[in-house]
Amino acid sequence: MSDTAVGGDVFFVLLGAILVFAMHGGFAFLEVGTVRHKNQVNALVKILVDFAISTVVYFFVGYAFAYGTSFLVDAATLSGGGDGFELQGLTLVKFFFLTTFAAAIPAIISGGIAERMKFLPQCIATAALVGIAYPFFEGLIWNGNFGFQAWLEASFGAGFHDFAGSVVVHAVGGWIALAAVLLLGARRGRYDKNGKPIGIPPSSLPWLALGSWMLCIGWFGFNVMTAGSLEAASGLVAINSLMAMVGGILTALVVGRNDPGFVHNGALAGLVAVCAGSDIMHPLGSLFVGGVAGIIFVKGFEICQNKLKIDDVLGVWPLHGICGAWGGVAAGVFGAEAMWGLGGVSLMSQIIGTAAGAIYALVAGFIVYGVLKAIMGLRLSQEEEHLGADLAIHKISANPEHDLGR
């Protein structure tokens, strides 16, 4: 490749990394708008600090674990090619891009454990998850580690296809979050003594909506720039992402009975589901996949909160865990040539890969958060939870003038 071509790819991937980095602001404001006022500062700090921790551990441990590439070499090697590093630092911007994916794991989990999780244990969990747990499955699927993909291809004609991470990122994050939420238990006052849910409305629908918009916009970098180069970029991925997003919005609008929280999360449900097959599905298939995801989120959230009594504050398990799993399987259906897809995918491989991701993530979540619970505890005290994480942890609220009684 010419230096100009490589430079174009560097810029292309860098733009993708910036767009996905901006999505973390979306995660933050989605949580800010959903939690109560006394926990808004904590939501903002968690997402930013988790991103910083994720970057450090992924740089030193996680990326090497997944792809076998260490950055502990001189700067000339990093930017000039050789020893696995591409010209003009293309490997470095790919690392930046994949770091934003890895950091999405704790950002997803943050919404489920909101309002009652201690700060230090979550920071430690982030390091363990992004340094070891996530890269193991990432490398298994996206780098062909340990022969799992080769076995699927030999057995069923194709490996597990997850173009942009319906399972690798979203389902893994969602199922880890489920384990964390179960170990934490419900917020105090969420259910009465008879187990009947007590509604806790969002603190700010405009902030919630802003978070959704930021995520939706950044998602086109998440999906399209996964191609990794200008030459491989596909308009099909962009249109499929768009169709799945609007499909999720419309079904969540109807099934959720005009609820604005469901509408804005319905968009995200559709985008979660389309990631896996966005490069191989027909736009009509993507519209259907996104529409089903919108229904899954609304019904899944209601069942989770009201029937199962699982206090998943932002509904990250149904949104990322279940919709991500649906997307993994759906790629095997709507990516097939019989469904106007591009083919090259096996439904059985999609089912096995999706199940493997969900089971692995659930087990990893129970191990990481279970160990932390045994060693240092996970929950704020009853007094701290009543006061709110903002004042209990950060000693300041979202509106500091109110702290002074002005």
Side-chain angles (χ1 to χ4, degrees):
M1 292 178 65
S2 68
D3 287 353
T4 301
V6 174
D9 289 345
V10 168
F11 188 64
F12 177 75
V13 177
L14 178 60
L15 282 178
I18 293 169
L19 281 168
V20 184
F21 177 42
M23 290 176 69
H24 288 264
F27 280 119
F29 284 106
L30 190 73
E31 184 172 337
V32 165
T34 305
V35 299
R36 287 168 285 188
H37 283 288
K38 61 183 180 180
N39 297 295
Q40 290 181 326
V41 171
N42 181 244
L44 293 168
V45 173
K46 276 191 303 178
I47 301 296
L48 190 61
V49 171
D50 280 343
F51 188 89
I53 294 171
S54 297
T55 300
V56 172
V57 298
Y58 198 65
F59 182 86
F60 284 105
V61 182
Y63 190 84
F65 193 11
Y67 300 102
T69 301
S70 172
F71 297 109
L72 302 181
V73 296
D74 61 81
T77 302
L78 290 175
S79 62
D83 293 332
F85 293 94
E86 298 172 84
L87 291 172
Q88 300 189 36
L90 182 56
T91 302
L92 298 180
V93 292
K94 287 181 177 177
F95 157 77
F96 181 15
F97 184 67
L98 289 170
T99 296
T100 60
F101 278 52
I105 299 297
I108 290 168
I109 296 167
S110 176
I113 62 176
E115 301 203 327
R116 74 269 202 208
M117 178 79 183
K118 289 182 179 179
F119 191 58
L120 179 59
Q122 177 54 24
C123 291
I124 296 172
T126 293
L129 293 170
V130 178
I132 300 173
Y134 168 74
F136 175 84
F137 192 74
E138 176 190 17
L140 197 74
I141 303 304
W142 284 344
N143 199 46
N145 296 350
F146 305 110
F148 179 67
Q149 288 282 41
W151 171 73
L152 288 175
E153 186 172 358
S155 301
F156 307 107
F160 177 60
H161 187 92
D162 190 2
F163 179 68
S166 285
V167 175
V168 173
V169 178
H170 296 286
V172 166
W175 286 87
I176 291 174
L178 174 62
V181 169
L182 290 174
L183 287 169
L184 265 175
R187 290 168 290 176
R188 290 181 173 86
R190 180 66 179 90
Y191 302 97
D192 66 18
K193 61 182 181 180
N194 297 317
K196 182 180 178 180
I198 299 174
I200 300 177
S203 60
S204 173
L205 285 169
W207 284 129
L208 185 158
L210 175 65
S212 176
W213 275 102
M214 291 178 69
L215 284 163
C216 288
I217 293 168
W219 222 295
F220 288 88
F222 195 98
N223 285 359
V224 176
M225 271 74 168
T226 290
S229 68
L230 283 168
E231 183 180 5
S234 169
L236 179 65
V237 176
I239 297 305
N240 280 339
S241 301
L242 177 67
M243 297 301 283
M245 181 187 76
V246 299
I249 292 170
L250 294 175
T251 56
L253 173 69
V254 175
V255 178
R257 299 173 296 279
N258 303 327
D259 184 286
F262 285 145
V263 171
H264 286 94
N265 278 285
L268 309 182
L271 287 162
V272 165
V274 81
C275 287
S278 58
D279 62 326
I280 57 173
M281 294 192 297
H282 189 280
L284 289 176
S286 296
L287 179 64
F288 181 82
V289 169
V292 171
I295 297 170
I296 289 173
F297 172 71
V298 173
K299 294 301 182 183
F301 184 86
E302 291 175 344
I303 292 171
C304 177
Q305 300 285 340
N306 300 331
K307 302 292 184 182
L308 301 179
K309 305 295 189 297
I310 298 173
D311 187 16
D312 178 351
V313 180
L314 268 67
V316 298
W317 176 48
L319 178 60
H320 296 275
I322 302 177
C323 289
W326 156 242
V329 174
V333 177
F334 295 94
E337 293 182 16
M339 299 297 289
W340 291 5
L342 296 182
V345 66
S346 162
L347 178 58
M348 186 55 67
S349 291
Q350 295 305 115
I351 293 172
I352 293 173
T354 298
I359 294 169
Y360 169 76
L362 188 63
V363 171
F366 273 116
I367 291 173
V368 170
Y369 285 96
V371 169
L372 288 170
K373 183 176 182 178
I375 294 174
M376 60 179 60
L378 299 176
R379 286 191 69 129
L380 295 172
S381 69
Q382 185 171 349
E383 294 76 13
E384 289 171 328
E385 188 176 338
H386 177 74
L387 182 64
D390 293 357
L391 293 177
I393 297 173
H394 309 289
K395 312 306 179 187
I396 192 168
S397 74
N399 303 103
E401 288 187 355
H402 294 173
D403 299 345
L404 301 176
R406 296 177 180 173

PDB file of all heavy atoms in Angstrom, residues 156-174:
ATOM      1  N   PHE A 156     -19.444 -26.619  10.623  1.00  0.00           N
ATOM      2  CA  PHE A 156     -20.706 -26.093  10.099  1.00  0.00           C
ATOM      3  C   PHE A 156     -20.559 -25.235   8.847  1.00  0.00           C
ATOM      4  O   PHE A 156     -21.519 -24.628   8.400  1.00  0.00           O
ATOM      5  CB  PHE A 156     -21.419 -25.288  11.194  1.00  0.00           C
ATOM      6  CG  PHE A 156     -21.591 -26.051  12.481  1.00  0.00           C
ATOM      7  CD1 PHE A 156     -20.821 -25.738  13.594  1.00  0.00           C
ATOM      8  CD2 PHE A 156     -22.494 -27.097  12.568  1.00  0.00           C
ATOM      9  CE1 PHE A 156     -20.956 -26.445  14.789  1.00  0.00           C
ATOM     10  CE2 PHE A 156     -22.642 -27.815  13.746  1.00  0.00           C
ATOM     11  CZ  PHE A 156     -21.872 -27.495  14.855  1.00  0.00           C
ATOM     12  N   GLY A 157     -19.375 -25.166   8.318  1.00  0.00           N
ATOM     13  CA  GLY A 157     -19.170 -24.481   7.047  1.00  0.00           C
ATOM     14  C   GLY A 157     -18.832 -23.015   7.142  1.00  0.00           C
ATOM     15  O   GLY A 157     -18.465 -22.384   6.146  1.00  0.00           O
ATOM     16  N   ALA A 158     -18.946 -22.426   8.302  1.00  0.00           N
ATOM     17  CA  ALA A 158     -18.603 -21.013   8.498  1.00  0.00           C
ATOM     18  C   ALA A 158     -18.366 -20.772   9.977  1.00  0.00           C
ATOM     19  O   ALA A 158     -18.938 -21.450  10.837  1.00  0.00           O
ATOM     20  CB  ALA A 158     -19.721 -20.103   7.991  1.00  0.00           C
ATOM     21  N   GLY A 159     -17.498 -19.809  10.265  1.00  0.00           N
ATOM     22  CA  GLY A 159     -17.258 -19.451  11.654  1.00  0.00           C
ATOM     23  C   GLY A 159     -18.371 -18.570  12.196  1.00  0.00           C
ATOM     24  O   GLY A 159     -19.361 -18.291  11.521  1.00  0.00           O
ATOM     25  N   PHE A 160     -18.204 -18.150  13.422  1.00  0.00           N
ATOM     26  CA  PHE A 160     -19.187 -17.258  14.051  1.00  0.00           C
ATOM     27  C   PHE A 160     -18.987 -15.861  13.501  1.00  0.00           C
ATOM     28  O   PHE A 160     -17.904 -15.276  13.610  1.00  0.00           O
ATOM     29  CB  PHE A 160     -19.015 -17.275  15.569  1.00  0.00           C
ATOM     30  CG  PHE A 160     -19.932 -16.328  16.295  1.00  0.00           C
ATOM     31  CD1 PHE A 160     -21.309 -16.454  16.194  1.00  0.00           C
ATOM     32  CD2 PHE A 160     -19.421 -15.313  17.095  1.00  0.00           C
ATOM     33  CE1 PHE A 160     -22.158 -15.581  16.859  1.00  0.00           C
ATOM     34  CE2 PHE A 160     -20.254 -14.444  17.779  1.00  0.00           C
ATOM     35  CZ  PHE A 160     -21.624 -14.587  17.653  1.00  0.00           C
ATOM     36  N   HIS A 161     -20.033 -15.295  12.916  1.00  0.00           N
ATOM     37  CA  HIS A 161     -19.955 -13.985  12.271  1.00  0.00           C
ATOM     38  C   HIS A 161     -20.523 -12.915  13.199  1.00  0.00           C
ATOM     39  O   HIS A 161     -21.712 -12.915  13.495  1.00  0.00           O
ATOM     40  CB  HIS A 161     -20.735 -13.997  10.953  1.00  0.00           C
ATOM     41  CG  HIS A 161     -20.571 -12.753  10.131  1.00  0.00           C
ATOM     42  ND1 HIS A 161     -19.606 -12.631   9.160  1.00  0.00           N
ATOM     43  CD2 HIS A 161     -21.230 -11.577  10.161  1.00  0.00           C
ATOM     44  CE1 HIS A 161     -19.688 -11.426   8.605  1.00  0.00           C
ATOM     45  NE2 HIS A 161     -20.670 -10.763   9.205  1.00  0.00           N
ATOM     46  N   ASP A 162     -19.640 -12.029  13.643  1.00  0.00           N
ATOM     47  CA  ASP A 162     -20.077 -10.916  14.495  1.00  0.00           C
ATOM     48  C   ASP A 162     -19.284  -9.691  14.069  1.00  0.00           C
ATOM     49  O   ASP A 162     -18.290  -9.316  14.677  1.00  0.00           O
ATOM     50  CB  ASP A 162     -19.834 -11.230  15.965  1.00  0.00           C
ATOM     51  CG  ASP A 162     -20.501 -10.216  16.896  1.00  0.00           C
ATOM     52  OD1 ASP A 162     -21.173  -9.297  16.392  1.00  0.00           O
ATOM     53  OD2 ASP A 162     -20.346 -10.337  18.122  1.00  0.00           O
ATOM     54  N   PHE A 163     -19.753  -9.062  13.005  1.00  0.00           N
ATOM     55  CA  PHE A 163     -19.005  -7.995  12.349  1.00  0.00           C
ATOM     56  C   PHE A 163     -18.621  -6.870  13.303  1.00  0.00           C
ATOM     57  O   PHE A 163     -17.464  -6.476  13.374  1.00  0.00           O
ATOM     58  CB  PHE A 163     -19.822  -7.438  11.177  1.00  0.00           C
ATOM     59  CG  PHE A 163     -19.147  -6.319  10.437  1.00  0.00           C
ATOM     60  CD1 PHE A 163     -18.011  -6.560   9.682  1.00  0.00           C
ATOM     61  CD2 PHE A 163     -19.639  -5.021  10.503  1.00  0.00           C
ATOM     62  CE1 PHE A 163     -17.378  -5.531   9.006  1.00  0.00           C
ATOM     63  CE2 PHE A 163     -19.012  -3.984   9.830  1.00  0.00           C
ATOM     64  CZ  PHE A 163     -17.878  -4.242   9.080  1.00  0.00           C
ATOM     65  N   ALA A 164     -19.572  -6.345  14.046  1.00  0.00           N
ATOM     66  CA  ALA A 164     -19.295  -5.178  14.889  1.00  0.00           C
ATOM     67  C   ALA A 164     -19.668  -5.383  16.353  1.00  0.00           C
ATOM     68  O   ALA A 164     -19.763  -4.410  17.104  1.00  0.00           O
ATOM     69  CB  ALA A 164     -20.006  -3.941  14.337  1.00  0.00           C
ATOM     70  N   GLY A 165     -19.907  -6.607  16.773  1.00  0.00           N
ATOM     71  CA  GLY A 165     -19.988  -6.855  18.201  1.00  0.00           C
ATOM     72  C   GLY A 165     -21.329  -6.968  18.870  1.00  0.00           C
ATOM     73  O   GLY A 165     -21.458  -6.638  20.051  1.00  0.00           O
ATOM     74  N   SER A 166     -22.365  -7.445  18.185  1.00  0.00           N
ATOM     75  CA  SER A 166     -23.632  -7.703  18.878  1.00  0.00           C
ATOM     76  C   SER A 166     -23.408  -8.606  20.080  1.00  0.00           C
ATOM     77  O   SER A 166     -24.001  -8.392  21.154  1.00  0.00           O
ATOM     78  CB  SER A 166     -24.639  -8.373  17.927  1.00  0.00           C
ATOM     79  OG  SER A 166     -25.188  -7.469  17.011  1.00  0.00           O
ATOM     80  N   VAL A 167     -22.556  -9.605  19.899  1.00  0.00           N
ATOM     81  CA  VAL A 167     -22.266 -10.548  20.975  1.00  0.00           C
ATOM     82  C   VAL A 167     -20.955 -10.217  21.671  1.00  0.00           C
ATOM     83  O   VAL A 167     -20.902 -10.121  22.904  1.00  0.00           O
ATOM     84  CB  VAL A 167     -22.233 -11.998  20.443  1.00  0.00           C
ATOM     85  CG1 VAL A 167     -21.810 -12.979  21.538  1.00  0.00           C
ATOM     86  CG2 VAL A 167     -23.603 -12.390  19.896  1.00  0.00           C
ATOM     87  N   VAL A 168     -19.890 -10.013  20.883  1.00  0.00           N
ATOM     88  CA  VAL A 168     -18.560  -9.795  21.467  1.00  0.00           C
ATOM     89  C   VAL A 168     -18.560  -8.613  22.431  1.00  0.00           C
ATOM     90  O   VAL A 168     -17.941  -8.670  23.503  1.00  0.00           O
ATOM     91  CB  VAL A 168     -17.508  -9.589  20.359  1.00  0.00           C
ATOM     92  CG1 VAL A 168     -16.158  -9.199  20.961  1.00  0.00           C
ATOM     93  CG2 VAL A 168     -17.364 -10.850  19.519  1.00  0.00           C
ATOM     94  N   VAL A 169     -19.250  -7.543  22.081  1.00  0.00           N
ATOM     95  CA  VAL A 169     -19.292  -6.363  22.945  1.00  0.00           C
ATOM     96  C   VAL A 169     -20.595  -6.297  23.748  1.00  0.00           C
ATOM     97  O   VAL A 169     -20.583  -6.319  24.984  1.00  0.00           O
ATOM     98  CB  VAL A 169     -19.127  -5.064  22.126  1.00  0.00           C
ATOM     99  CG1 VAL A 169     -19.219  -3.839  23.038  1.00  0.00           C
ATOM    100  CG2 VAL A 169     -17.800  -5.070  21.376  1.00  0.00           C
ATOM    101  N   HIS A 170     -21.723  -6.256  23.058  1.00  0.00           N
ATOM    102  CA  HIS A 170     -22.978  -5.937  23.735  1.00  0.00           C
ATOM    103  C   HIS A 170     -23.513  -7.089  24.582  1.00  0.00           C
ATOM    104  O   HIS A 170     -23.857  -6.892  25.750  1.00  0.00           O
ATOM    105  CB  HIS A 170     -24.016  -5.479  22.713  1.00  0.00           C
ATOM    106  CG  HIS A 170     -23.623  -4.212  22.043  1.00  0.00           C
ATOM    107  ND1 HIS A 170     -23.678  -2.996  22.680  1.00  0.00           N
ATOM    108  CD2 HIS A 170     -23.123  -3.966  20.802  1.00  0.00           C
ATOM    109  CE1 HIS A 170     -23.241  -2.056  21.873  1.00  0.00           C
ATOM    110  NE2 HIS A 170     -22.900  -2.618  20.724  1.00  0.00           N
ATOM    111  N   ALA A 171     -23.612  -8.270  24.008  1.00  0.00           N
ATOM    112  CA  ALA A 171     -24.115  -9.391  24.798  1.00  0.00           C
ATOM    113  C   ALA A 171     -23.174  -9.714  25.949  1.00  0.00           C
ATOM    114  O   ALA A 171     -23.623  -9.978  27.080  1.00  0.00           O
ATOM    115  CB  ALA A 171     -24.322 -10.621  23.914  1.00  0.00           C
ATOM    116  N   VAL A 172     -21.876  -9.675  25.696  1.00  0.00           N
ATOM    117  CA  VAL A 172     -20.919  -9.929  26.769  1.00  0.00           C
ATOM    118  C   VAL A 172     -21.089  -8.903  27.884  1.00  0.00           C
ATOM    119  O   VAL A 172     -21.182  -9.258  29.063  1.00  0.00           O
ATOM    120  CB  VAL A 172     -19.475  -9.929  26.224  1.00  0.00           C
ATOM    121  CG1 VAL A 172     -18.459  -9.841  27.369  1.00  0.00           C
ATOM    122  CG2 VAL A 172     -19.217 -11.190  25.402  1.00  0.00           C
ATOM    123  N   GLY A 173     -21.181  -7.622  27.532  1.00  0.00           N
ATOM    124  CA  GLY A 173     -21.395  -6.595  28.553  1.00  0.00           C
ATOM    125  C   GLY A 173     -22.715  -6.768  29.286  1.00  0.00           C
ATOM    126  O   GLY A 173     -22.786  -6.615  30.511  1.00  0.00           O
ATOM    127  N   GLY A 174     -23.768  -7.101  28.551  1.00  0.00           N
ATOM    128  CA  GLY A 174     -25.086  -7.255  29.154  1.00  0.00           C
ATOM    129  C   GLY A 174     -25.193  -8.429  30.099  1.00  0.00           C
ATOM    130  O   GLY A 174     -25.835  -8.335  31.160  1.00  0.00           O
TER     131      GLY A 174
END
